[in-house]
Amino acid sequence: MWSSFWRSRDRFSLDELRYFIDQLQKVQIVNNVNKDFVIEALRSISELITYGDQHDSNYFEFFMERQVMGEFVRILKVSRTVSISRQLLQTMSIMIQNLKSEHAIYYMFSNEHINFLITYAFDFRNEELLSYYISFLRAISAKLDKNTISLFVKTQNEEVVSFPLYVEAIRFAFHEENMIRTAVRALTLNVYHVGDEFVNRFVVKAPHADYFSSLLTFFRKHCIDLNGLVSETLKNPDSDTTTAILAAVDEIEDDLYYISDVISAGIPDVGRLITDNILQLLILPLLLPSLQLDAANDIQIGAITSLYLLCCILRIVKIKDLANTIAAALFCPPEAFVVDSETQLNGYVPEIQQPENENVIEVNGCSKQIMRSLSSSSQVHPENSISKGVSHSTLRDTLLSYITAGDDLQVLGSLSMLATLLQTKVELEEIMLDALGILPQRKQHKKLLLQALVGEDSREDQLFSLGSSSIRDEYNCELDGYLQALKEQYGVVCSSLEAGTSPSAHRFQVLNALVSLFCRSNISPETLWVGGWLFRQLLPYSVAEFNSQHLKLLKDSYKNCTCALLDETRGTWPDLLVTILHDEWKRCKRAMEASSPQKEPKCILFPLGKPSADGNTIGWDMLLDILLPFITGLGICSVFVLLHQLHVFSVGRALPDQPPACLPSDIPENSRARTAGLDASGPKLGTELTLVDAVPCRIAFERGKERYFCFLATSVGSSGWIILAEELPLKKHYGIIRIVAPLAGSNPTIDEKHSRWLHLRIRPSTIPVLDPAKSITHGKAKTKALVDGRWTLAFRDDESCKSALSMIIEEIDLQSSEVKRRLKPLLNFEGDIDVSVTSLHPSEASSSTEIPSDSS
C-alpha cells in the first residue's frame, strides 16, 4: 500500500494530461498566486499533446473531448499577466508546429478560437510578447494549404472580405527588429504559395495592395542608407565602414530575394505592382538620374551605389517588363527622368501618397520611420532646366564614357552593369541586347541564320550583314515600341533614335570602349579582367567585327606592357616572375571562360584602402618599399596576361592551358655557383662552400658587435643570393654559410664619403602576403614578420668594394637574362618584340645584345 502511495506519476500519460486539464478548468482567475501553476499546466499540455500525436491518438481525442481550446481562450480572458499570454502563445506555437496528424491540424483550425487569438489585443509594448505572437502566426502559416486556408478567411459574394492572419501579420512587416520582419516575410510567402484564387485577389486589392508599395518604400530607405555609407567611404577612405556596408548589402539583397520569392508565387498583378512601384519609387526618380556625369548635388544616391543597385535588381528580381524597361530607359537622356513640378509630362506624374509627417509612412496602422518624400527628387533643378530637352547624350553613352574615362570604380560599375544586362537572358529581349550593343555574336548569327532559313532575308551577302536595312528597320521599330511604352506608362519622354541607327553601330561603340579600356594604365587588373570577360562574350569565336584601328591599339598596348614586364626582370622580384605569370595565366583564363564575371557587383562599393596617416602604423613606409614593387609587378603581369590572351584570341588561335615558357637551364660549368659547389637547390645555412671568388668584409647586425664574413654573390637559373660565410680556420678557401639573402632588388651602392662601404637593400626571401587584402586591413598594415633590410658592408680597400659591386651586378645580369630566356616564348609573341635587346641594363647594352650562351 505504501509503495503505491509513494509511486511517482508517469509524466507522459493520459492521466497526467487529465490532471492538468482538470486543474486548468478549476482556475477562475489568474493572479500572482497561481500564475506559475497555470504556466506549468499550459507548457505540460503542449508537451503531452505533441507526445500523444506521435504515440497515441487517444491523447488528442481527450483534448477535443474536453474542449481545451476553449479553455485556453478562457484563461487568456481571465488573466492580465503578460507571462500567461506569452506562455499561451508559445503553447499554441509548439502544438501547431509539431502536430503531424491532418485530423488534429484541421480540428485546431476549424473553430474560431485560433482567429480569436490572432485578433486579440495583446500588449505589444512588451517586445518579447510580440516575438511570441509573430512566431504563433508563422507557425499557423506553415500549415496552410488550399483546404485549411479557408478556415481563416471570411467571404461574401465569393470574395474574401476578411483575412486576419495576413492583415495582422503585415502590420509588423517593417518592424525595427529583423527577426520579426523575417518571420512576417516567411508568413506572407506561405500565404502566397498556397495559390488560393480568392486569397490572391484579396492581397492585391486596396488597401492590402499598399503592402507592396510600402515594401518598395522600405527597400528605398535601405538603398539611401547604403549610399550614405558608400559616400562616407569615398570621402574618407580611412573610415572603417566595411562591416556596416556589408551588413547593408546583405539587407538589400535579402529584400530583393524576398521580392523575387513573392513574384515566384505567381499571383496575378503582383509582378505589375512590384514593377510599377520599384520604377516609380526608386529606379526612375533616383537610380537612373544619378548615373549622369554631372548629377545634381541633391540627388540622394550616387552613381557607384546606383550601378550596384541596378545590377542587384536585374540579377535577382526576374520580371521581364522591369528588365526591358530599364534597358530601354538607358536610351534616354538624364533630364528625361526629372519631373517638372509645374508641368506634367503627358498629364502623368507618379502618385505617391505622403502622410502628414513626411518622414513616416502608415502601413496598415503600423507607423514606421521610412524616408523623406520624393518631392526633393521630382523638382527640376536650375542646372538641368537649361539643357532640358536638348541633350543628345543618353545614359548608355554615360556608361560607355565611364569605361573610357572613369575611375576604377566607375569602370567596374559600368562593366558590371553591361555584364548583368548580358546575363539577363530570360527576362531581357534579344532586341534590347542588340540595341545596347552587347548581344553575343553567336546569338546574332543564330538569329540571322534563323531569319534566312524562314525566308526573311535569304540573300547570302546579307546573312551576316548587321547593318542591312531590313534588320535596322526591325530594330528601330521594336525599340521605339519600348520607348513609347516608357512614355505612356511612366511619363518618361525620350525621342526616338536617330534615323539610320543600327545595332552594329552600337556594337562598335561598345568595342571601341573596351579597346580603349585595355589601353588604359590607371585601371586595376581585376577590373580589366571583367572587361576581358565582356569582350570574350561579345566576340567568342573571331574578330570579324574588329577593324585595323582596334587591332593596332591592342597591339601597341600589348607591346608597352611587354616592355614594362621586361623591366621587371631587373626589378625587385624577378625570381618570382615565371611563377606569377604561370599562376596569373590560369586565373585569367579561368576568369575569361567563366559563365559570369568573377568580381561580384558589390565589389564596386569597396575602394582600395589607403594607408593610415595617423602615424600609428609602424613600418608603413618600409612595407610599401617592400610590397609596392611586387604589387606593381603583379599588376603588370596580370595586365600582360590579359592582353596576351586577347592577342592570341584576336589572331584566331586556341588558348593553351599553360603559358609557353622554356625549361630551366643547367648550371654553367664556369659559373660562380658551380665554383662555389652549389647545386640547383641553392645555398643552405650551415653547409660548406668554396670561397674562391669570395671577398672578405665586416658587418654589424647589432650596435657595437662587428662580425667578419666572406662575401659572395651568385645565381642559379632565375634565382640569386647574397651569401655571407665564415671562413674555416683549418680548411683554407672553404667556409660555412651563415647568412643568405636574395640577390634581386639589392640595389648595391658605394657610399659617397666612404669608398670602402657598400650599401645593400635586402628584401624578404618570399612574399610576406600574396593577397594584399590580408596584409592591409582598413589602412592598418600587418608588419610583424617584416624587418628593415638595409645592410652596410665594410671592405678592406676600395678595390675589394668595387669587386663586390661588380660581382653583384654581373650575377643580377645573369639572373635577369635567365628570366628573359625562360619567358622568351611568351614575350616574343609573333616576333613583335626582340626580347634580347629590350629593356637591358646599360652595362648589358654596351657589351652585348644577346643572351649569354650558357643561359639560352
Side-chain angles (χ1 to χ4, degrees):
M1 181 180 69
W2 290 108
S3 62
S4 176
F5 177 80
W6 289 109
R7 187 176 61 241
S8 62
R9 298 197 309 263
D10 184 0
R11 186 180 174 205
F12 292 101
S13 67
L14 196 57
D15 289 339
E16 187 79 352
L17 178 61
R18 179 180 292 106
Y19 167 76
F20 281 114
I21 292 176
D22 288 342
Q23 295 302 315
L24 198 63
Q25 289 178 335
K26 295 177 182 178
V27 175
Q28 298 302 314
I29 188 170
V30 180
N31 50 34
N32 290 332
V33 176
N34 62 357
K35 70 174 184 178
D36 291 338
F37 171 78
V38 173
I39 290 173
E40 177 62 20
L42 292 173
R43 185 186 61 80
S44 298
I45 289 173
S46 65
E47 292 179 352
L48 289 165
I49 294 300
T50 301
Y51 172 83
D53 183 68
Q54 300 174 10
H55 298 87
D56 188 349
S57 61
N58 289 325
Y59 282 71
F60 198 80
E61 294 294 334
F62 184 76
F63 180 86
M64 292 189 295
E65 178 184 336
R66 300 293 294 270
Q67 298 183 4
V68 179
M69 287 292 294
E71 287 301 315
F72 287 168
V73 171
R74 186 184 65 82
I75 290 295
L76 182 63
K77 290 179 179 179
V78 299
S79 171
R80 291 295 179 266
T81 306
V82 172
S83 57
I84 298 298
S85 301
R86 186 169 59 242
Q87 182 58 55
L88 179 60
L89 291 172
Q90 185 183 38
T91 294
M92 294 301 303
S93 298
I94 292 173
M95 291 173 60
I96 294 171
Q97 289 173 359
N98 292 283
L99 289 177
K100 306 298 182 183
S101 168
E102 293 184 5
H103 170 69
I105 290 294
Y106 196 85
Y107 170 79
M108 296 280 291
F109 292 171
S110 62
N111 52 64
E112 284 299 314
H113 298 312
I114 290 286
N115 280 326
F116 175 84
L117 294 177
I118 292 173
T119 57
Y120 186 77
F122 291 102
D123 183 6
F124 292 132
R125 289 175 297 181
N126 185 303
E127 288 292 328
E128 189 177 6
L129 179 60
L130 176 59
S131 298
Y132 279 106
Y133 176 74
I134 295 299
S135 297
F136 166 62
L137 299 185
R138 181 177 180 175
I140 296 172
S141 70
K143 300 293 185 177
L144 293 179
D145 56 32
K146 289 190 175 182
N147 294 321
T148 57
I149 197 170
S150 60
L151 303 175
F152 294 93
V153 301
K154 292 182 179 180
T155 60
Q156 184 176 345
N157 297 327
E158 295 188 351
E159 291 291 334
V160 175
V161 295
S162 176
F163 189 8
L165 175 65
Y166 179 79
V167 172
E168 294 299 321
I170 63 175
R171 286 178 54 206
F172 305 98
F174 311 110
H175 193 272
E176 60 186 9
E177 178 59 45
N178 182 59
M179 294 295 292
I180 292 177
R181 295 199 306 271
T182 301
V184 172
R185 290 182 177 185
L187 181 149
T188 58
L189 291 176
N190 289 336
V191 171
Y192 301 152
H193 282 280
V194 170
D196 185 90
E197 178 183 355
F198 301 103
V199 171
N200 289 347
R201 289 205 298 266
F202 175 83
V203 300
V204 296
K205 286 193 309 184
H208 313 295
D210 291 344
Y211 169 68
F212 300 106
S213 60
S214 300
L215 173 64
L216 270 302
T217 304
F218 188 70
F219 173 67
R220 183 178 184 267
K221 176 185 180 295
H222 286 165
C223 295
I224 294 176
D225 292 343
L226 172 65
N227 181 73
L229 295 171
V230 174
S231 298
E232 174 64 24
T233 302
L234 294 176
K235 292 177 183 177
N236 182 19
D238 294 334
S239 61
D240 186 7
T241 56
T242 301
T243 302
I245 290 177
L246 286 173
V249 164
D250 289 342
E251 197 162 27
I252 282 174
E253 294 189 359
D254 285 345
D255 290 344
L256 289 174
Y257 279 115
Y258 170 66
I259 292 171
S260 177
D261 290 340
V262 171
I263 295 167
S264 67
I267 301 177
D269 297 328
V270 166
R272 177 188 55 79
L273 284 171
I274 290 177
T275 298
D276 289 346
N277 280 286
I278 200 170
L279 285 168
Q280 295 173 21
L281 288 170
L282 182 64
I283 293 176
L284 297 180
L286 285 182
L287 299 190
L288 293 179
S290 70
L291 294 181
Q292 59 183 314
L293 291 169
D294 54 349
N297 292 332
D298 53 354
I299 289 183
Q300 299 179 26
I301 291 186
I304 297 300
T305 310
S306 178
L307 288 168
Y308 162 73
L309 292 171
L310 287 169
C311 289
C312 272
I313 291 170
L314 288 168
R315 183 167 51 92
I316 298 175
V317 183
K318 306 294 186 180
I319 302 179
K320 185 174 182 180
D321 288 344
L322 177 62
N324 285 284
T325 301
I326 293 174
L330 296 178
F331 291 94
C332 298
E335 58 267 17
F337 304 98
V338 181
V339 181
D340 193 333
S341 59
E342 298 178 359
T343 307
Q344 296 182 0
L345 302 178
N346 276 1
Y348 177 92
V349 171
E351 296 181 1
I352 300 179
Q353 298 179 355
Q354 298 295 335
E356 293 181 3
N357 182 348
E358 64 178 4
N359 293 321
V360 179
I361 184 170
E362 196 77 5
V363 182
N364 291 322
C366 185
S367 296
K368 296 294 171 187
Q369 294 292 326
I370 300 294
M371 65 187 63
R372 297 188 179 276
S373 66
L374 287 172
S375 59
S376 62
S377 60
S378 63
Q379 303 292 325
V380 174
H381 308 295
E383 58 269 31
N384 288 340
S385 60
I386 296 175
S387 60
K388 184 176 180 180
V390 299
S391 173
H392 297 289
S393 177
T394 66
L395 293 179
R396 178 182 172 277
D397 297 329
T398 299
L399 292 179
L400 297 182
S401 68
Y402 281 148
I403 295 176
T404 58
D407 59 32
D408 205 293
L409 293 182
Q410 291 170 334
V411 172
L412 180 58
S414 184
L415 291 173
S416 298
M417 180 69 178
L418 294 177
T420 302
L421 287 166
L422 188 148
Q423 290 183 288
T424 313
K425 302 173 182 178
V426 178
E427 294 76 28
L428 201 60
E429 298 281 0
E430 283 192 3
I431 188 67
M432 296 307 302
L433 289 175
D434 213 4
L436 292 168
I438 56 174
L439 181 66
Q441 191 179 67
R442 61 182 181 274
K443 286 191 174 182
Q444 285 186 347
H445 289 185
K446 180 179 178 181
K447 175 182 176 182
L448 296 172
L449 182 61
L450 181 61
Q451 290 176 344
L453 291 175
V454 299
E456 293 183 11
D457 198 357
S458 58
R459 289 187 299 169
E460 183 178 355
D461 60 337
Q462 292 186 354
L463 179 56
F464 296 106
S465 177
L466 301 181
S468 61
S469 59
S470 61
I471 297 174
R472 184 168 58 247
D473 292 343
E474 175 192 0
Y475 156 82
N476 285 330
C477 181
E478 291 195 34
L479 184 56
D480 285 346
Y482 285 110
L483 294 176
Q484 184 65 26
L486 192 62
K487 173 183 176 181
E488 293 175 353
Q489 296 179 30
Y490 304 106
V492 177
V493 178
C494 180
S495 59
S496 301
L497 298 180
E498 296 180 4
T501 303
S502 67
S504 60
H506 286 174
R507 190 174 181 81
F508 271 116
Q509 291 175 353
V510 176
L511 291 175
N512 284 335
L514 290 176
V515 172
S516 298
L517 172 64
F518 298 142
C519 297
R520 297 182 62 184
S521 60
N522 60 339
I523 303 300
S524 67
E526 293 83 0
T527 299
L528 292 176
W529 283 11
V530 177
W533 179 90
L534 183 60
F535 178 85
R536 184 172 177 82
Q537 296 299 312
L538 298 181
L539 297 173
Y541 302 120
S542 68
V543 290
E545 292 183 324
F546 252 23
N547 57 29
S548 58
Q549 183 64 18
H550 289 150
L551 291 173
K552 182 179 183 304
L553 289 173
L554 275 182
K555 203 168 188 179
D556 290 345
S557 181
Y558 174 72
K559 286 183 177 180
N560 293 335
C561 193
T562 302
C563 292
L565 184 61
L566 284 169
D567 288 339
E568 291 299 314
T569 63
R570 298 197 62 86
T572 307
W573 303 91
D575 46 335
L576 297 182
L577 270 183
V578 175
T579 301
I580 290 172
L581 284 169
H582 185 273
D583 293 341
E584 291 300 288
W585 181 278
K586 293 189 293 185
R587 289 181 61 235
C588 185
K589 185 175 186 291
R590 186 164 57 247
M592 293 272 283
E593 295 176 350
S595 59
S596 61
Q598 292 189 338
K599 234 175 173 20
E600 295 183 4
K602 66 181 177 183
C603 292
I604 69 176
L605 303 176
F606 304 98
L608 182 63
K610 295 183 179 180
S612 174
D614 58 8
N616 294 326
T617 303
I618 300 175
W620 175 256
D621 291 337
M622 185 200 68
L623 179 63
L624 280 185
D625 288 342
I626 294 173
L627 285 183
L628 191 56
F630 171 75
I631 295 173
T632 302
L634 179 60
I636 292 173
C637 291
S638 300
V639 175
F640 169 81
V641 166
L642 171 65
L643 293 174
H644 187 95
Q645 293 190 4
L646 291 176
H647 204 171
V648 171
F649 173 67
S650 69
V651 296
R653 296 183 186 175
L655 200 62
D657 293 332
Q658 306 288 346
C662 293
L663 296 174
S665 61
D666 296 331
I667 304 177
E669 291 295 332
N670 58 349
S671 67
R672 286 192 178 87
R674 181 74 71 179
T675 303
L678 299 178
D679 56 20
S681 62
K684 297 180 178 62
L685 294 177
T687 58
E688 187 177 295
L689 84 164
T690 305
L691 301 177
V692 174
D693 296 324
V695 182
C697 68
R698 306 188 315 273
I699 185 172
F701 292 107
E702 297 179 52
R703 185 179 297 274
K705 294 184 179 181
E706 239 181 15
R707 299 177 63 183
Y708 289 83
F709 291 104
C710 291
F711 171 87
L712 183 67
T714 184
S715 63
V716 175
S718 61
S719 299
W721 304 273
I722 292 173
I723 301 172
L724 299 182
E726 287 185 342
E727 188 174 8
L728 293 173
L730 301 179
K731 195 173 183 181
K732 192 175 182 180
H733 300 305
Y734 284 90
I736 300 296
I737 299 175
R738 297 303 183 191
I739 299 173
V740 178
L743 175 67
S746 56
N747 191 23
T749 306
I750 295 179
D751 191 272
E752 295 179 356
K753 296 181 179 180
H754 303 84
S755 57
R756 292 181 297 172
W757 289 6
L758 182 64
H759 299 292
L760 300 178
R761 181 67 166 158
I762 305 300
R763 48 148 252 220
S765 299
T766 57
I767 298 299
V769 179
L770 290 178
D771 183 3
K774 296 179 181 178
S775 63
I776 302 174
T777 307
H778 310 314
K780 303 295 182 181
K782 297 180 181 179
T783 59
K784 180 179 179 181
L786 298 177
V787 294
D788 190 353
R790 293 184 176 92
W791 289 4
T792 299
L793 301 173
F795 294 89
R796 294 175 180 174
D797 49 40
D798 294 355
E799 290 301 319
S800 297
C801 187
K802 291 178 181 178
S803 175
L805 175 64
S806 299
M807 188 189 310
I808 293 174
I809 292 176
E810 183 179 346
E811 293 299 325
I812 288 177
D813 291 345
L814 291 173
Q815 182 183 16
S816 175
S817 297
E818 172 64 11
V819 174
K820 291 176 184 176
R821 184 196 69 81
R822 293 196 60 188
L823 296 180
K824 187 173 183 178
L826 180 65
L827 300 177
N828 198 26
F829 184 68
E830 291 192 314
D832 294 330
I833 297 175
D834 188 355
V835 176
S836 63
V837 298
T838 305
S839 185
L840 293 181
H841 189 270
S843 63
E844 288 183 88
S846 62
S847 61
S848 175
T849 58
E850 295 183 0
I851 298 176
S853 59
D854 58 9
S855 37
S856 59

